[in-house]
Amino acid sequence: MAGECRIVVRAKRPGRRPAGPVVAAAHKLLQMFRKPTGQDMIAADITAISIGMGVTAALALALRRRDRPRLGAALSALALFELLLVLFLLPDLAADGPAGWIVGWELLVLPALPVLLRRYLDGLTGTVVTRRDWLWALAPDVLLLPFLLVAPAARSALLAGEVPDLPPPMLLMAVASVGLFWLAWLIVTFASAIAIAIRLRRHRTRLAAIYSTEGRGDLQGFAVTAGLLGVIFCVQLGEMIAAGFGVELLSGRADDVFLLAVILGFAVHGLTVEPPLPEWADEVLAPEAPQPDVPEPLAESGIVEGSAAARPAYARSGLADADLDRILVRLDCAMAEQQLWSDPMLTLKDLADAASVRPGYLSQALNQRRGISFFDYVNGWRIDAACGLLSQTDKTVLAIGEEVGFNAKSTFNAAFRKMRGMSPSAWRDTRPDAT
C-alpha cells in the first residue's frame, strides 16, 4: 500500500511504445503500492531503517511468546505481519540491482496484511479463528498472477508507465490482472477493517462480565494504532486519485515515513500489550466464535444473548436455582457490609472471593437469576449510593462519582442516565427539599 502515485516520464526505449490510457491507468494502480526505481539516498535510508526495524520487531515479538504464552497466537500473527512488511520493502532496495527480477512479486504480501491484523486481534480477544480467513488473502494474489508471469522487463516497463513489447492479448491480460488485484485488495482491506471494528465492539461487551470499570482491557492502544493505519491507507488512496488529475499530494519520502510509523507502532503495541482477559476469566467467558450476525441484547444488560459473554460454561456447573439464589444472598450481604462497590478497580473475582464462591458460579447467578451483567450489577449499587449522597449532602457531582467508585465524571453521568433517566445534577434538583 506504500508507494508514490505518479507517472514517471522516461526516455523512449527501443521495443517500447508510448503508454496509452489503459496502460497509464494500470501504472497508476501499481504505483499506489510501490515506488519507481531509483530512490534518492534519503528515501533509501528510510527504507533500510524500516527493514531493520521490521526484522528486529519480528524477532522481539517471537521471543516474547515465551514470556507471554497466553499471547502466543497474537504475537505470532504480528511477527509475521512485520516480516511481510519487510518483504514488501526489499524490492525498493534491490530493484536496480541484479535482483530486479523480484519487482512486482512483493505485491503478493499486501492482501495478507489486513488478515494478519485480524488474527492478531483474534489472539488478543480469544476469538476462535478458521482457516477460511486466509482465502481472503489468496483470492487477490491469484488475480495478479498474469501480471507476475510476464518477463521482468515487461513488469518494469508497466511500473514505469511504458508499454512493454508484448502481444496485445498478453498485454491486456496483464493490465486487467492489475486492476482486478487492486479491486480485490480494496475489498479485503475494507472487509477486514469492518471485522476488526466488530471484534473490538464485541470484546468490550464481554468485558462487562468481569470488570466494573470501563476502559480496562479494552485494547484502546490497538484501536489507535489501527486507526493510524486506516488514515495512512486513506491518504494513499486519495493520493492515487489525485495523481489521476495530475496533482501530487505527498512527496515520495512521506510514503516511507508512513510505513516506518506502521512498523514501529504495531511493534511497540505488541511488545507492551498484556492479556486483556485474566486467566480466571476463562471460567467465565467461553472462547468467542467469529459469528457474522449480532444477536439481540439482553434487556438493559449490555450482554449479547447467545454470545460467549452471555453463555459462559454453565452447562456442567450442576447448580440449581436455589443454589444460585443463595449465592446472590451472600453477594448482596458482602456488597452492603463491605461497600465493595466503592472500589473503582473491582473485578468479578474480587466479588467472588468476598462471597466465597467461584467466579463462574457468581457470573452464572447474576446472568441466569437476575438477567444482568456483573458491570450493571455493581453500577446499580454505585448509583443507589450516589443518590443517597446527592440528596443528603452538598458534595459536587464529581466528588460523589469518585466516592462511589466511578473513575470519571463522564462515566458516572452515563451510568446515572442509564439507570435513572436523567443526569445526577437534574436528579438532585428534583428532590423535595431542592427549593
Side-chain angles (χ1 to χ4, degrees):
M1 97 185 50
E4 186 177 2
C5 192
R6 61 185 180 188
I7 299 178
V8 178
V9 180
R10 297 188 176 183
K12 185 176 179 181
R13 302 177 185 176
R16 293 179 181 174
R17 303 181 298 279
V22 176
V23 175
H27 164 68
K28 293 173 184 176
L29 295 178
L30 286 169
Q31 294 301 81
M32 178 184 179
F33 300 116
R34 70 173 320 278
K35 298 175 288 297
T37 61
Q39 305 179 80
D40 60 67
M41 291 302 297
I42 296 179
D45 290 342
I46 296 176
T47 300
I49 293 173
S50 300
I51 291 174
M53 294 299 300
V55 172
T56 303
L59 292 175
L61 291 168
L63 291 175
R64 192 169 187 247
R65 293 183 54 193
R66 297 183 297 180
D67 299 329
R68 298 291 188 275
R70 289 176 61 84
L71 297 176
L75 294 178
S76 296
L78 192 58
L80 184 56
F81 175 85
E82 298 280 350
L83 285 178
L84 290 187
L85 282 177
V86 169
L87 291 178
F88 176 76
L89 290 171
L90 280 177
D92 289 340
L93 299 181
D96 292 326
W101 61 271
I102 68 174
V103 171
W105 286 89
E106 77 278 7
L107 301 179
L108 294 177
V109 310
L110 290 176
L113 296 178
V115 176
L116 284 171
L117 286 183
R118 286 172 53 194
R119 297 299 289 265
Y120 175 55
L121 182 59
D122 291 341
L124 292 177
T125 59
T127 303
V128 178
V129 297
T130 63
R131 295 181 178 178
R132 289 178 300 177
D133 288 345
W134 292 110
L135 295 178
W136 288 89
L138 293 177
D141 290 344
V142 172
L143 296 174
L144 190 63
L145 288 179
F147 167 74
L148 296 177
L149 293 179
V150 301
R155 294 201 303 271
S156 298
L158 284 173
L159 287 168
E162 300 171 341
V163 179
D165 190 12
L166 292 174
M170 185 176 296
L171 176 61
L172 181 60
M173 186 176 299
V175 171
S177 72
V178 172
L180 292 175
F181 170 82
W182 183 82
L183 179 61
W185 178 76
L186 279 181
I187 293 173
V188 170
T189 301
F190 280 116
S192 296
I194 294 173
I196 287 173
I198 293 175
R199 279 162 167 74
L200 282 173
R201 181 176 178 273
R202 290 180 176 175
H203 170 68
R204 289 167 181 170
T205 299
R206 298 177 79 211
L207 294 177
I210 60 174
Y211 292 138
S212 65
T213 303
E214 293 182 351
R216 294 188 64 182
D218 62 355
L219 298 175
Q220 187 65 29
F222 174 85
V224 172
T225 308
L228 172 64
L229 181 59
V231 170
I232 293 173
F233 172 78
C234 292
V235 169
Q236 294 281 358
L237 186 61
E239 184 184 14
M240 186 205 71
I241 296 174
F245 297 94
V247 179
E248 183 178 358
L249 297 180
L250 299 172
S251 67
R253 297 174 187 174
D255 298 322
D256 299 287
V257 173
F258 282 161
L259 265 183
L260 180 58
V262 171
I263 291 174
L264 289 178
F266 281 106
V268 170
H269 186 270
L271 294 174
T272 57
V273 69
E274 296 295 336
L277 301 174
E279 292 188 20
W280 56 263
D282 295 342
E283 179 184 346
V284 181
L285 303 175
E288 185 181 7
Q291 300 173 355
D293 300 324
V294 179
E296 294 295 326
L298 287 171
E300 299 185 0
S301 68
I303 296 295
V304 179
E305 179 73 34
S307 71
R311 52 173 179 77
Y314 297 153
R316 294 189 298 273
S317 69
L319 295 179
D321 289 346
D323 299 322
L324 299 177
D325 290 338
R326 283 191 290 271
I327 290 175
L328 292 175
V329 170
R330 295 207 302 268
L331 174 62
D332 291 339
C333 290
M335 287 287 280
E337 294 173 359
Q338 304 177 38
Q339 296 186 351
L340 301 173
W341 37 263
S342 62
D343 180 8
M345 304 304 290
L346 186 67
T347 67
L348 179 68
K349 188 176 185 304
D350 295 331
L351 275 191
D353 292 342
S356 301
V357 296
R358 294 172 55 179
Y361 293 166
L362 181 56
S363 177
Q364 180 180 359
L366 288 172
N367 279 274
Q368 292 187 352
R369 300 302 293 166
R370 293 191 179 174
I372 61 175
S373 67
F374 162 74
F375 180 84
D376 286 337
Y377 172 76
V378 174
N379 276 352
W381 282 86
R382 289 171 174 170
I383 297 303
D384 289 342
C387 288
L389 293 173
L390 287 168
S391 62
Q392 299 170 13
T393 70
D394 293 326
K395 295 181 179 180
T396 65
V397 171
L398 176 60
I400 291 175
E402 293 176 347
E403 184 173 341
V404 299
F406 291 99
N407 57 4
K409 184 178 179 180
S410 60
T411 306
F412 176 41
N413 287 334
F416 201 99
R417 285 181 181 276
K418 180 179 180 181
M419 296 190 174
R420 294 293 186 269
M422 63 183 71
S423 68
S425 300
W427 189 91
R428 170 178 266 173
D429 293 338
T430 62
R431 54 182 184 160
D433 59 342
T435 58

